[in-house]
Each structure stands twice: as C-alpha cells, then as structure tokens.
Amino acid sequence: MTLDQYKLLGRSGLRISPLSLGTMTFGSDWGWGADGDEARRIFDLYIDLGGNFVDTSVNYTDGRAERLLGTFIGDKRERIVLATKFTMAREPGNPNSGGNHRLNMVRSVEQSLTQLGTDRIDLVYLHAWDMTTRPDEVMRALDDLVLSGKVLYLGICNTPAWRVAQMQTLADIRGWSPFVALQIEYSLVERTVEHELLPAAAALGLGVLPWSPLGGGVLTGKYSLSDVEDSQEATVSASRKGVIASSGHLNQRAIEIADEVRAVAEEANSTPSRVALAWTLTNPTVVSPIIGARTLAQAEDNLGALDLVLTPEQLDRLNRISAPSPVFPARFTQRPLVQQLIFGGAAVERRN
C-alpha cells in the first residue's frame, strides 16, 4: 500500500490517502511540537509521497497549526483534502467561545478559514459532544454551512455511538447533510470503541479515522513500568509524557501491550510504530489512521507502516494481549446458553 492508493471516505465519493497527516504537533506553542521548519519538512514529505488528507483543528497549538498549514499549502490547495474541527474553547472565560452551538460553530469555521487562508473547508468535524446543545441545532447549523459552500463534508469525533446514530438519522430524515467520517481514538491500548462505535460507523456509512493510533506514544516502546503515571491535569502539559499521562494511557496494561508490540517488531525486522499502525489498518472499518509526528524521522517511520504486512500469528498475539473486556449486552447474548435460546440450536447465518 502507498499514500497514493486512495480510499473512499464513508458514504461519500471523496478519495483520501490510507494515512492522514495530523497537525496537532505543528507549532511549539504547547511546549513539545515541531517548529515551523520541521513541520514544513514533515508536510512536504507527506505530500511528495502522494498524501492528500491533512487533519487539523482551530485550537491546535493555539491556532499556530492552522496558520502554518496556510503557509505550507500554497498552490497545492486543490490536491489536498483539508479537514479541521470546531468545539473547543478559544477564549478562556468566554463560555460561547466553545461548544457545539451555532454561534461557536460559525465563529470557529470563520476563524479556521482565516487561519488557513482558504475559502472552504473540505471536511469539518464536531470535535467532541458538549452535552448541552440539541442535536437538531447542530445538524441544521452544519447543513447551513454546507449550503453556504464554506464546508463541503461533515464528520464527528469523540461522541457516544447512540448520539452519533441519533444525529445521523435526524440528518437522513430531514434531508440535511449527513456525517461521512467518524474520528475516534483507536489503537492497541484503546479498543473499547469496538463495542459500539466501530459497528455504528459501519452501519451508518461513516469512514473511521483513528486518532492516536500509537496510544499517545506508548506503543512506540519508549516508556517502561517506571514511567507509569495517572495525571489529572486539566491543562495541556508542557511535556509529551505529561500529555500521555493525562490521557490515562501510562498504565501497566498499556506497557505490557507495548512490550508485545516491540517483540513483534523485532521479529518482523520493523519498528513498534509501524507494527501499531499496521495493526489498525487491518480493521476493514478503518479508512485512514492519523499520524502525528514531531520530527521528520518519526514521520518517515510512521509512513513505513504501509509496507508492513503482519502474519496471522502476529496479529493473533496482538489481538489477544489487547482484547477489551466484553460489555453488556454482547457479554450476555454471546454466551452459548443464550445463543441456544435465540436460535434453538439451528445453524443460522449472522449479519454483522
């Protein structure tokens, strides 16, 4: 697989690369990202290899990421599918500078257009469910943005599966623009999305774009049990390790999974990063994992995942050590007794 072997994004006809370029690491304003020159080298590498899907957000590195992208894109604009997000607050103390309501949505999109130096956003995501705005306000406002031509496609991130289904159904019933993309955390250390979100995406026509496919860096193998830490920090840490600790992934189980990833990488004459990314690509619901490199070397390493094919035995080992615990109702309905009661012992073809 190569970056110029494009995939369709969900129910849309949009063609995107099998790895997306994430830009939360563009800009050193948060203390651990790539400076402008290194970010430019990462961007150029991705584009020169045929990559066309760039992911950002209005608030990444306090807007610096979008401003850098605006200078990088230049005459390449029509080759690039540009995705950004709204929701997160941009002005401390102002409650309407964040959230999913129409006021913040419109202001955020306008700010992104200015920061990116473009007249349209190809894909805009609701960044996280805010637990306050009504679904009909969100979907109607998003549809208005599409009708205005400032936004072309819609996606959603970090929202419960039942809410995503409710909003998608609302859009379909009322003839509003539907979601075509679902961006969620998915990796060997975060597989609970397999219970509801991944099946919902498949059923609703959403292409899945995993963020943090390296588990925040844990799966690269650079942490050990001595680094285990659970941070409750409410602000963005000035260190990358602090950011990972605040995500909850610096725990013993994640380190044990990372050790198995390292072992598979040694067998495959590869790297842990490539193994972790190659694993996500084996899921048929996944369209384009998002890579977020801070250095050119990291970007080159990540892109090498497209060349790696894991054996069935290696995949089985990775799946077994990282398997999420079953949850209700599947925990109940998949038991042999209940299957016997449902089907009466008859052999019946199942639907996914």
Side-chain angles (χ1 to χ4, degrees):
M1 192 184 302
T2 58
L3 284 176
D4 58 0
Q5 290 181 284
Y6 303 108
K7 296 184 175 182
L8 295 178
L9 181 58
R11 61 165 73 180
S12 80
L14 196 60
R15 300 93 184 255
I16 63 170
S17 293
L19 286 177
S20 309
L21 180 62
T23 64
M24 194 172 77
T25 55
F26 280 20
S28 54
D29 302 62
W30 286 350
W32 39 262
D35 63 24
D37 290 340
E38 189 73 351
R40 179 59 187 259
R41 285 188 283 269
I42 294 168
F43 174 85
D44 286 345
L45 171 70
Y46 178 77
I47 299 300
D48 289 345
L49 291 174
N52 77 336
F53 194 28
V54 181
D55 179 89
T56 190
S57 176
V58 67
N59 67 305
Y60 283 170
T61 52
D62 298 329
R64 176 71 169 159
E66 285 194 339
R67 289 192 292 271
L68 285 171
L69 271 180
T71 65
F72 298 166
I73 290 172
D75 61 3
K76 301 180 180 72
R77 180 64 185 94
E78 297 309 316
R79 292 177 52 193
I80 293 171
V81 176
L82 188 56
T84 192
K85 312 176 191 75
F86 78 95
T87 296
M88 306 309 183
R90 303 178 310 288
E91 183 184 341
N94 179 358
N96 286 316
S97 74
N100 298 330
H101 52 89
R102 182 186 289 264
L103 177 60
N104 180 56
M105 184 192 301
V106 172
R107 285 179 174 174
S108 181
V109 166
E110 293 290 353
Q111 184 170 339
S112 285
L113 290 170
T114 299
Q115 291 178 168
L116 290 163
T118 187
D119 62 353
R120 73 173 193 275
I121 296 166
D122 300 319
L123 172 66
V124 73
Y125 289 100
L126 181 152
H127 206 160
W129 186 243
D130 69 3
M131 298 168 285
T132 55
T133 310
R134 287 175 54 92
D136 56 343
E137 178 180 347
V138 174
M139 299 311 295
R140 175 58 192 271
L142 285 171
D143 186 61
D144 285 345
L145 282 175
V146 173
L147 291 174
S148 75
K150 293 179 180 180
V151 169
L152 302 186
Y153 293 97
L154 305 176
I156 188 166
C157 317
N158 311 316
T159 299
W162 72 269
R163 182 67 80 182
V164 174
Q166 179 192 33
M167 297 167 78
Q168 189 77 322
T169 301
L170 186 62
D172 286 343
I173 289 174
R174 298 194 177 177
W176 295 338
S177 300
F179 294 127
V180 301
L182 177 68
Q183 191 176 133
I184 50 176
E185 184 178 7
Y186 184 47
S187 73
L188 281 160
V189 297
E190 176 45 81
R191 292 183 57 189
T192 60
V193 294
E194 293 176 6
H195 293 311
E196 296 287 348
L197 282 160
L198 290 185
L204 297 170
L206 307 178
V208 173
L209 303 111
W211 60 263
S212 200
L214 303 184
V218 173
L219 294 172
T220 66
K222 61 184 175 182
Y223 299 106
S224 65
L225 288 175
S226 63
D227 294 305
V228 168
E229 177 186 353
D230 183 19
S231 170
Q232 299 297 320
E233 286 284 338
T235 57
V236 179
S237 174
S239 73
R240 189 61 178 158
K241 179 182 176 182
V243 172
I244 299 168
S246 66
S247 75
H249 285 327
L250 268 182
N251 56 60
Q252 181 175 342
R253 182 173 185 270
I255 298 299
E256 291 171 351
I257 294 171
D259 287 343
E260 188 66 29
V261 170
R262 187 189 300 111
V264 170
E266 290 174 357
E267 291 177 10
N269 194 27
S270 188
T271 68
S273 297
R274 293 179 182 183
V275 169
L277 279 163
W279 177 86
T280 66
L281 288 164
T282 63
N283 190 310
T285 311
V286 168
V287 178
S288 183
I290 300 167
I291 60 172
R294 290 181 293 116
T295 67
L296 183 64
Q298 289 177 348
E300 291 171 336
D301 183 26
N302 290 346
L303 293 173
L306 295 174
D307 297 325
L308 179 61
V309 177
L310 298 171
T311 68
E313 187 271 338
Q314 290 167 340
L315 285 171
D316 182 62
R317 284 162 53 193
L318 294 171
N319 285 329
R320 279 189 284 110
I321 195 168
S322 64
S325 299
V327 296
F328 185 87
R331 179 197 56 76
F332 169 71
T333 58
Q334 296 306 310
R335 301 293 297 179
L337 172 61
V338 182
Q339 289 287 296
Q340 166 70 18
L341 293 172
I342 292 173
F343 295 104
V348 180
E349 181 183 4
R350 309 294 203 269
R351 286 196 178 96
N352 292 329

